[in-house]
Amino acid sequence: MRHLIDPTDLTRKETEEIIDLALDIIGNREKYAEVCKGKKLATLFYEPSTRTRLSFTSAMMELGGNVIGFSDAKNTSVSKGETVADTVQVISCFADIIAMRHYEEGAALVAAMNARVPVINAGDGSHSHPTQTLTDLLTIRREIGRFDNITIGFCGDLRFGRTVHSLIKALSRYEGVKVVLIAPEQLRLPDYMKHEVCDKNGIPYVEVSTMEEVMPELDVLYMTRVQKERFLDEDEFDRLKDSFILTPEKLKDARPELRVLHPLPRVNEITVEVDKDPRAAYFRQVENGKFVRMALILTLLKWAKENPANDGVFFPEGTLRNELQCSNRRCISNMENVDTLFRPCDDGIEKHRCVYCESKPRQ
């Protein structure tokens, strides 16, 4: 049995097979209308969501399956103090597959360690969002036609943006990818991502302060919102929220082949006038999310049938158990009673990083 907690849980070949399956679903909807009849998906959403939760629900229903779960943890035993580990062990009795979004970073990994059915990470704090990454990849495939030899600009909140982190990891496996990081100083991509993902995989990147200076060279512009819920200081949020706004004027020098992506929801970082531009692909991106989640559900259920044992969680050699504490207060290891786990790393900054959230150990 396999889980999807991080984009790198899938090999490049497996990722492309899921993308190809999604494309086949798009072209043959009736063929897949009953393939999950009798199966149940549990959507466990501890954090607000519109697109992701409804996308999973729609995906399972179009496959002929049923959906159970919750969209507000306040109405569940979580409000009584039930842990993630206990919740997924209970839900494993009722469902064939679980999609979970949680505000605690690393919660999806804890779920996978304790579940008896496949677990899909639908977003854990600011850490990872692998099904959005699959959505982004399917969109790039349909709009651009390739993953190799593209220049992609990430604009906005690159520090806390889990969708940005996940997509950079996925694209690091391809040749000729160039990354342009467009963000204010306070929201730049974390150093460990630059070292462990970009440098380690030979992905060239540049950091700039305006989108206008790089617009002509981009194949993809990936916009993100400045996420208020990730800020500890509301004054800092108010100061930065309007830093980068995409307008038709800023698109004047962009190539006709450019595509603008956004994981949504949008606040004001893309003006509504941009929606009329054919290069704006973010609403088409939403629909792609449904198809790729259909493909992922089918794939994980197939793997679970072939190998029902929970062998989908691995820790690298040299992982330290209960020897260090995580410095990230949003990490599940600081929120619930779980083992602390630190893996060795070679990013030139820290010797170990938290397995759950990639943060450094507490000093």
Side-chain angles (χ1 to χ4, degrees):
M1 183 177 67
R2 297 271 298 279
H3 309 281
L4 180 61
I5 308 305
D6 186 89
T8 57
D9 292 340
L10 300 171
T11 66
R12 172 175 165 171
K13 181 175 183 291
E14 290 168 343
T15 299
E16 292 176 354
E17 287 173 349
I18 290 172
I19 298 297
D20 288 340
L21 179 55
L23 290 170
D24 191 59
I25 291 171
I26 292 169
N28 302 277
R29 303 278 287 276
E30 292 184 2
K31 172 182 172 183
Y32 295 91
E34 298 291 332
V35 292
C36 282
K37 187 175 182 179
K39 298 292 185 181
K40 291 187 288 295
L41 165 72
T43 55
L44 312 184
F45 277 66
Y46 294 73
E47 197 175 43
S49 170
T50 301
R51 277 147 298 279
T52 304
R53 183 174 62 84
L54 294 181
S55 179
F56 271 110
T57 299
S58 179
M60 192 58 164
M61 291 175 69
E62 289 205 25
L63 293 169
N66 297 307
V67 182
I68 62 174
F70 55 82
S71 59
D72 187 348
K74 293 178 182 177
N75 299 323
T76 72
S77 293
V78 174
S79 63
K80 303 174 184 177
E82 186 173 61
T83 64
V84 167
D86 284 0
T87 296
V88 297
Q89 289 189 73
V90 170
I91 299 300
S92 295
C93 301
F94 308 141
D96 301 284
I97 188 167
I98 293 171
M100 187 177 82
R101 168 166 291 185
H102 206 288
Y103 50 86
E104 293 173 3
E105 296 171 20
L109 178 59
V110 171
M113 293 163 63
N114 290 276
R116 299 194 303 277
V117 298
V119 172
I120 302 171
N121 182 6
D124 60 331
S126 61
H127 181 227
S128 188
H129 196 348
T131 64
Q132 180 63 50
T133 300
L134 290 173
T135 298
D136 300 338
L137 291 174
L138 177 58
T139 304
I140 292 171
R141 172 80 171 271
R142 297 187 75 188
E143 300 282 340
I144 305 294
R146 66 186 188 279
F147 301 131
D148 294 309
N149 302 310
I150 65 170
T151 299
I152 179 167
F154 293 94
C155 182
D157 182 356
L158 312 188
R159 178 184 176 189
F160 298 107
R162 59 191 170 199
T163 60
V164 172
H165 301 174
S166 294
L167 184 53
I168 291 176
K169 284 183 180 180
L171 289 174
S172 69
R173 299 172 171 182
Y174 293 91
E175 299 293 328
V177 173
K178 298 178 182 178
V179 171
V180 180
L181 305 171
I182 312 162
E185 183 72 32
Q186 298 88 338
L187 297 177
R188 287 191 170 180
L189 192 73
D191 287 340
Y192 81 86
M193 284 289 300
K194 299 172 194 173
H195 290 286
E196 283 209 336
V197 180
C198 295
D199 293 342
K200 190 174 180 180
N201 292 286
I203 301 297
Y205 66 90
V206 294
E207 294 181 291
V208 299
S209 56
T210 68
M211 64 181 80
E212 293 94 322
E213 61 191 288
V214 293
M215 191 70 78
E217 62 190 80
L218 299 180
D219 297 297
V220 177
L221 175 61
Y222 196 96
M223 297 294 298
T224 65
R225 68 186 175 95
V226 177
Q227 302 179 72
K228 184 176 182 179
E229 63 267 32
R230 307 298 177 206
F231 274 77
L232 301 179
D233 185 341
E234 191 166 334
D235 289 339
E236 185 180 14
F237 165 76
D238 289 335
R239 185 168 57 82
L240 293 173
K241 65 181 180 180
D242 296 329
S243 297
F244 297 88
I245 299 175
L246 181 63
T247 64
E249 181 69 20
K250 292 179 180 178
L251 281 170
K252 282 199 320 182
D253 295 328
R255 299 166 55 225
E257 298 82 11
L258 171 76
R259 291 297 181 267
V260 180
L261 274 60
H262 192 307
L264 301 179
R266 142 179 85 178
V267 182
N268 67 340
E269 61 277 7
I270 302 177
T271 65
V272 294
E273 290 79 14
V274 174
D275 298 352
K276 302 173 185 177
D277 193 307
R279 294 171 291 190
Y282 32 87
F283 291 120
R284 299 192 292 273
Q285 186 180 357
V286 173
E287 186 174 25
N288 286 332
K290 177 184 68 174
F291 296 123
V292 85
R293 289 179 177 103
M294 291 171 72
L296 177 63
I297 289 169
L298 285 177
T299 300
L300 290 179
L301 288 174
K302 174 188 173 185
W303 289 345
K305 183 177 181 180
E306 294 171 348
N307 181 16
N310 189 0
D311 57 357
V313 179
F314 301 97
F315 302 120
E317 185 178 350
T319 295
L320 303 179
R321 186 182 297 267
N322 298 325
E323 294 185 29
L324 300 170
Q325 284 189 302
C326 183
S327 61
N328 176 11
R329 73 177 197 172
R330 295 187 179 95
C331 179
I332 194 168
S333 66
N334 288 321
M335 305 288 284
E336 297 192 6
N337 184 22
V338 300
D339 288 337
T340 61
L341 299 168
F342 278 81
R343 63 170 178 81
C345 67
D346 56 358
D347 62 9
I349 302 172
E350 299 292 339
K351 293 182 178 179
H352 294 88
R353 288 203 173 273
C354 178
V355 168
Y356 301 111
C357 71
E358 301 292 341
S359 295
K360 63 184 180 181
R362 187 180 298 170
Q363 299 300 320

